[in-house]
Amino acid sequence: MSILPRRFERIKSVLDCRMKNLTVLVEDVNKPHNLSAILRTCDAAGVFEANFISKTNAVKTFNSTAQGSQKWVKLNNHENTITAISDLKNKGFKLYGTTLNSESVDYRNFDYSQNTCFVLGAEKWGLSNELKSMVDQSIFIPMRGMVQSLNVSVAASILLFEAVRQRKNKGILPANGEGLNMDEYQKTLFEWCYP
Amino acid sequence: MSILPRRFERIKSVLDCRMKNLTVLVEDVNKPHNLSAILRTCDAAGVFEANFISKTNAVKTFNSTAQGSQKWVKLNNHENTITAISDLKNKGFKLYGTTLNSESVDYRNFDYSQNTCFVLGAEKWGLSNELKSMVDQSIFIPMRGMVQSLNVSVAASILLFEAVRQRKNKGILPANGEGLNMDEYQKTLFEWCYP
Ligand SMILES: C[S@@+](CC[C@H](N)C(=O)[O-])C[C@H]1O[C@@H](n2cnc3c(N)ncnc32)[C@H](O)[C@@H]1O
Ligand SMILES: C[S@@+](CC[C@H](N)C(=O)[O-])C[C@H]1O[C@@H](n2cnc3c(N)ncnc32)[C@H](O)[C@@H]1O
């Protein structure tokens, strides 16, 4: 099996921009078009791996909105909240929970240039109380309208692209593979080229 | 017919934040969940009026993703590209077309604090050539992934919230109705309170 040089260059250039230190943790979002839009945005922002908690154990389904991005962003499925949180904290992530309550702080007040995980909740109920109590910081995107909240994939993209904007301003967006460790880089390059 | 004081205060506070000088022009986007997410984001960002061109003349349908935002953002339906563009230019808008071609410039390079209209295109084809040739400036959101483009509602929200961020930094986000003229304000307040 061989791969065309142009295709190889394209795959490599995308992997060169991937970041391990920017991710999302998505709780109980199951609508295919929301999941799909989140993954597509992760791909575009350069997220290496996205995290999901799905209590129903339903298989995640993606639709055309994803445009195949589920092949290019690793999906880390967590069985429950506790294991998800401890895994992410062990990896050194700061968890920013998105909530619309009174302790929550305007998202523009934080620096997302280090290990950052945005925690996103379900359309109807938002984050579970369990998860709310375990995040490091609650943040929200200020709302100026009649509707109380944003669509979850929209919220995800505003936050992820704010992180990208900040990292770009600091000159720390990876462009040569420095966002991954060598082993991971090699392993993923192989998997992406020979799926 | 009367309205509860609390409801009146809420409606008034949202209208106080509305801006006439920030809008979108959406060409041939017909999927209900995309239209719905765009309107919901317009509502959240404080857009007073959103513009649409729909060559098929199809009635716009919204689904639960909109969360009723279609009641709070005025929909300006244009019959064709020419009339849409001349209307918006007459109103003093600078038109930022979103395209992924080589003349397009990183969206972070512009100041969106004055009359700004983001022009957005359809999922499959993007902006028509006609529309591309008539915008003032082509912009794009830099993509770091394998998928070539973002979902249209995601692109809209990144751009609108960048405009809000810039206006916030400059201290020019309206909070007391100064984003509308007096007549419009009064008329809309009445319509929103007594639909
Ligand atoms: C539709 S909202 C959930 C609304 C729910 N009623 C609540 O009060 O949390 C779905 C998810 O989108 C994200 N979200 C929506 N609006 C947001 C905002 N203004 N700021 C931050 N995140 C938001 C959050 O992750 C939220 O859990
Ligand atoms: C799925 S895209 C269209 C893709 C189409 N193949 C093209 O080349 O334009 C649908 C719309 O989303 C917006 N969009 C998507 N990705 C974008 C990006 N990176 N920058 C700016 N706008 C984008 C544009 O308005 C575009 O017309």
Side-chain angles (χ1 to χ4, degrees):
Chain A
M1 251 189 341
S2 80
I3 177 172
L4 290 176
R6 225 179 43 193
R7 172 88 176 159
F8 178 78
E9 282 311 317
R10 168 103 184 103
I11 286 180
K12 190 172 168 309
S13 74
V14 167
L15 194 60
D16 282 345
C17 293
R18 283 293 196 247
M19 297 175 267
K20 267 205 86 163
N21 64 358
L22 179 62
T23 191
V24 292
L25 172 61
V26 183
E27 187 189 38
D28 277 334
V29 171
N30 296 306
K31 285 191 197 162
H33 71 84
N34 281 336
L35 282 175
S36 299
I38 292 172
L39 263 239
R40 183 167 168 185
T41 301
C42 284
D43 173 62
V47 168
F48 180 65
E49 179 170 61
N51 294 276
F52 297 87
I53 307 173
S54 181
K55 277 149 202 162
T56 57
N57 242 331
V59 175
K60 275 172 200 48
T61 48
F62 299 93
N63 67 14
S64 67
T65 300
Q67 294 278 310
S69 53
Q70 65 273 32
K71 280 183 274 178
W72 310 107
V73 179
K74 255 177 91 171
L75 304 187
N76 203 350
N77 285 304
H78 300 274
E79 267 172 35
N80 63 54
T81 309
I82 311 276
T83 53
I85 297 282
S86 68
D87 178 44
L88 288 160
K89 291 210 175 173
N90 283 339
K91 289 177 178 161
F93 279 102
K94 177 147 185 189
L95 300 171
Y96 292 94
T98 50
T99 53
L100 299 166
N101 59 31
S102 55
E103 292 112 69
S104 202
V105 180
D106 187 334
Y107 78 108
R108 292 167 296 207
N109 293 343
F110 298 98
D111 175 4
Y112 306 118
S113 58
Q114 305 305 312
N115 283 341
T116 298
C117 175
F118 296 115
V119 188
L120 300 151
E123 188 63 26
K124 274 226 178 101
W125 312 113
L127 293 189
S128 64
N129 287 333
E130 191 186 17
L131 195 41
K132 271 184 203 161
S133 70
M134 296 203 289
V135 299
D136 297 302
Q137 175 66 51
S138 289
I139 57 170
F140 72 101
I141 301 162
M143 303 289 288
R144 305 170 53 76
M146 286 297 289
V147 180
Q148 306 274 357
S149 63
L150 294 163
N151 170 270
V152 61
S153 71
V154 162
S157 59
I158 292 169
L159 297 171
L160 287 170
F161 274 87
E162 172 63 14
V164 169
R165 193 188 66 81
Q166 290 184 6
R167 290 169 186 217
K168 162 95 181 172
N169 280 354
K170 293 198 170 178
I172 57 168
L173 277 179
N176 299 299
E178 65 272 40
L180 305 174
N181 67 42
M182 184 80 92
D183 280 0
E184 237 156 21
Y185 183 96
Q186 295 294 353
K187 185 165 166 281
T188 309
L189 187 59
F190 187 82
E191 287 169 3
W192 284 7
C193 289
Y194 306 100
Chain B
M1 253 190 338
S2 81
I3 176 170
L4 288 175
R6 227 179 42 193
R7 173 86 178 159
F8 179 78
E9 282 310 318
R10 169 102 184 101
I11 286 179
K12 189 173 168 312
S13 74
V14 167
L15 195 58
D16 282 346
C17 294
R18 283 292 195 250
M19 294 175 270
K20 267 206 84 163
N21 63 359
L22 180 61
T23 191
V24 291
L25 172 62
V26 183
E27 186 188 39
D28 276 333
V29 171
N30 297 305
K31 284 190 198 162
H33 71 84
N34 280 336
L35 281 176
S36 300
I38 292 173
L39 263 241
R40 184 168 169 186
T41 301
C42 283
D43 173 62
V47 168
F48 180 65
E49 180 172 59
N51 294 277
F52 297 87
I53 307 173
S54 181
K55 278 151 202 160
T56 58
N57 241 331
V59 175
K60 275 173 201 47
T61 49
F62 299 94
N63 67 12
S64 67
T65 299
Q67 295 278 311
S69 53
Q70 66 272 33
K71 280 182 275 177
W72 311 108
V73 178
K74 254 177 94 172
L75 304 186
N76 203 350
N77 285 305
H78 300 273
E79 266 173 35
N80 63 55
T81 309
I82 309 276
T83 54
I85 296 282
S86 68
D87 179 43
L88 288 160
K89 291 211 176 175
N90 281 339
K91 289 177 177 160
F93 279 102
K94 178 150 184 186
L95 300 170
Y96 292 94
T98 51
T99 52
L100 299 165
N101 58 32
S102 54
E103 293 111 69
S104 202
V105 180
D106 186 335
Y107 78 108
R108 292 168 297 208
N109 292 343
F110 297 98
D111 174 3
Y112 305 117
S113 57
Q114 305 305 313
N115 282 342
T116 298
C117 175
F118 295 115
V119 187
L120 301 151
E123 188 63 24
K124 275 223 179 104
W125 312 112
L127 295 189
S128 64
N129 286 333
E130 192 186 17
L131 196 40
K132 270 184 204 161
S133 71
M134 295 203 285
V135 300
D136 296 303
Q137 176 65 53
S138 289
I139 57 170
F140 72 101
I141 302 162
M143 305 288 290
R144 303 169 55 76
M146 286 297 288
V147 180
Q148 306 272 359
S149 63
L150 294 163
N151 171 270
V152 61
S153 71
V154 162
S157 58
I158 293 170
L159 296 172
L160 287 171
F161 274 86
E162 171 62 13
V164 169
R165 192 188 67 80
Q166 290 184 6
R167 291 169 186 218
K168 162 98 179 168
N169 281 354
K170 294 200 169 178
I172 57 168
L173 276 179
N176 299 299
E178 65 273 40
L180 304 175
N181 68 43
M182 183 78 91
D183 280 359
E184 237 157 23
Y185 184 96
Q186 295 295 354
K187 184 165 167 281
T188 310
L189 188 59
F190 187 82
E191 286 170 3
W192 283 9
C193 289
Y194 305 100

